[in-house]
């Protein structure tokens, strides 16, 4: 069973995907990590995140293990790491180099506790359109930029990171614009995706409505 969850930043995809993976005993792949890893690799080695040749080389040398170790980089989950990921994700050679690694994960999926499982919940921007076009269930989770920026702002504050709502809103809109207008795999729902706007829903409401859809299938 492959479930894909795509949508813009801070729409609630990650929380939903993790809860679904737990309930249905599936592995979880946060595909934003592959782009964050390339961004952090560039920053570690003194390259600009706008350097397309260095980014392509970093993507070609990326492995699952290297990505997991780069996840400890202090900027991996920060706004700087998110902007870097969004920039390298707009480079076609980077996307091409990272595609097989994402697809291969479904061949032998393991849950976070190391047990073998029968499928994957993918979370990202193009998982229903490019990574797994044959997925069993495709969801596109969205919310207004203001709601998403407020969620991200609160998340940063809870983690003790400095944050200003206005800055987070501006960054959210900038990333939306870059993710949706890039030529390679732009952010868009797959033709057969179920679109859910979570602006006026809490996570339990989103989770319960998605479980109903999965159970019906
Ligand atoms: O989901 P995230 O915030 O970790 O994603 C970081 C960036 O990576 C995001 O701005 C766009 C990019 N991304 C992508 O282009 N395709 C994916 N499948 C996942 C993320």
């Amino acid at each position: 069973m492959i479930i894909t969850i795509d949508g813009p930043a801070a729409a609630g995809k990650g929380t939903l995907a993790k809860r679904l993976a737990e309930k249905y005993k599936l592995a979880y792949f946060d595909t934003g990590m592959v782009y964050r890893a390339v961004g952090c690799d560039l920053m570690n080695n003194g390259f600009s995140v706008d350097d397309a040749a260095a980014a392509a080389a970093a993507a070609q040398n990326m492995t699952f293990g290297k990505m997991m170790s780069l996840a400890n980089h202090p900027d991996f989950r920060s706004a700087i790491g998110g902007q870097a990921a969004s920039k390298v994700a707009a480079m076609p050679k980077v996307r091409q180099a990272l595609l097989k690694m994402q697809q291969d994960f479904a061949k032998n999926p393991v849950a976070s506790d190391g047990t073998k499982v029968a499928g994957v919940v993918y979370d990202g921007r193009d998982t229903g359109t490019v990574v797994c076009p044959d997925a069993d269930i495709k969801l596109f989770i969205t919310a207004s930029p203001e709601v998403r920026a407020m969620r991200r702002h609160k998340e940063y504050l809870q983690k003790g990171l400095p944050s200003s709502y206005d800055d987070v809103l501006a960054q959210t809109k900038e990333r939306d614009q870059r993710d949706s207008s890039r030529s390679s795999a732009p952010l868009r729902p797959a033709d057969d995706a179920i679109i859910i706007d979570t602006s006026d829903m809490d996570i339990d409401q989103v989770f319960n409505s998605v479980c109903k859809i999965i159970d019906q299938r």
Side-chain angles (χ1 to χ4, degrees), residues 6 9 13 30-33 35-36 77 81-82 85-86 89 95 102 123-127 131 152 175 179 182 185:
D6 292 309
K13 305 181 301 284
D30 167 7
T31 63
M33 286 180 72
Y35 302 101
R36 285 177 185 265
R77 289 282 167 204
S86 174
R95 301 199 75 83
Q102 296 173 75
D123 148 12
R125 304 291 188 288
D126 64 341
T127 65
V131 179
R152 215 8 84 91
R175 272 176 67 182
D179 292 348
R182 67 184 177 217

Side-chain angles (χ1 to χ4, degrees), residues 77-214:
R77 289 282 167 204
S78 75
I80 293 171
Q83 289 296 337
S86 174
K87 285 188 174 179
V88 300
M91 300 170 183
K93 284 189 180 160
V94 169
R95 301 199 75 83
Q96 201 188 348
L98 296 169
L99 181 59
K100 190 169 179 297
M101 183 177 130
Q102 296 173 75
Q103 292 174 327
D104 281 352
F105 187 75
K107 290 185 184 160
N108 214 348
V110 279
S112 50
D113 62 3
T115 50
K116 287 192 174 186
V117 286
V120 184
V121 183
Y122 279 91
D123 148 12
R125 304 291 188 288
D126 64 341
T127 65
T129 51
V130 177
V131 179
C132 304
D134 298 326
D136 301 286
I137 297 178
K138 298 181 186 178
L139 303 165
F140 190 86
I141 306 292
T142 189
S144 72
E146 289 74 17
V147 167
R148 290 185 286 117
M150 185 51 81
R151 287 177 187 162
R152 215 8 84 91
H153 170 61
K154 285 184 179 165
E155 204 180 290
Y156 288 147
L157 293 180
Q158 266 170 9
K159 285 183 185 162
L161 297 168
S163 183
S164 122
Y165 170 74
D166 288 341
D167 288 352
V168 178
L169 180 60
Q171 284 160 6
T172 302
K173 289 182 174 170
E174 188 191 326
R175 272 176 67 182
D176 282 359
Q177 166 66 18
R178 195 184 300 116
D179 292 348
S180 334
S181 63
R182 67 184 177 217
S183 59
S184 180
L187 171 66
R188 66 164 184 86
D191 293 339
D192 49 351
I194 299 159
I195 299 175
I196 302 176
D197 187 326
T198 69
S199 300
D200 298 316
M201 294 168 91
D202 66 27
I203 180 60
D204 287 333
Q205 289 171 312
V206 179
F207 178 66
N208 290 332
S209 69
V210 170
C211 288
K212 264 190 209 153
I213 296 168
I214 295 173

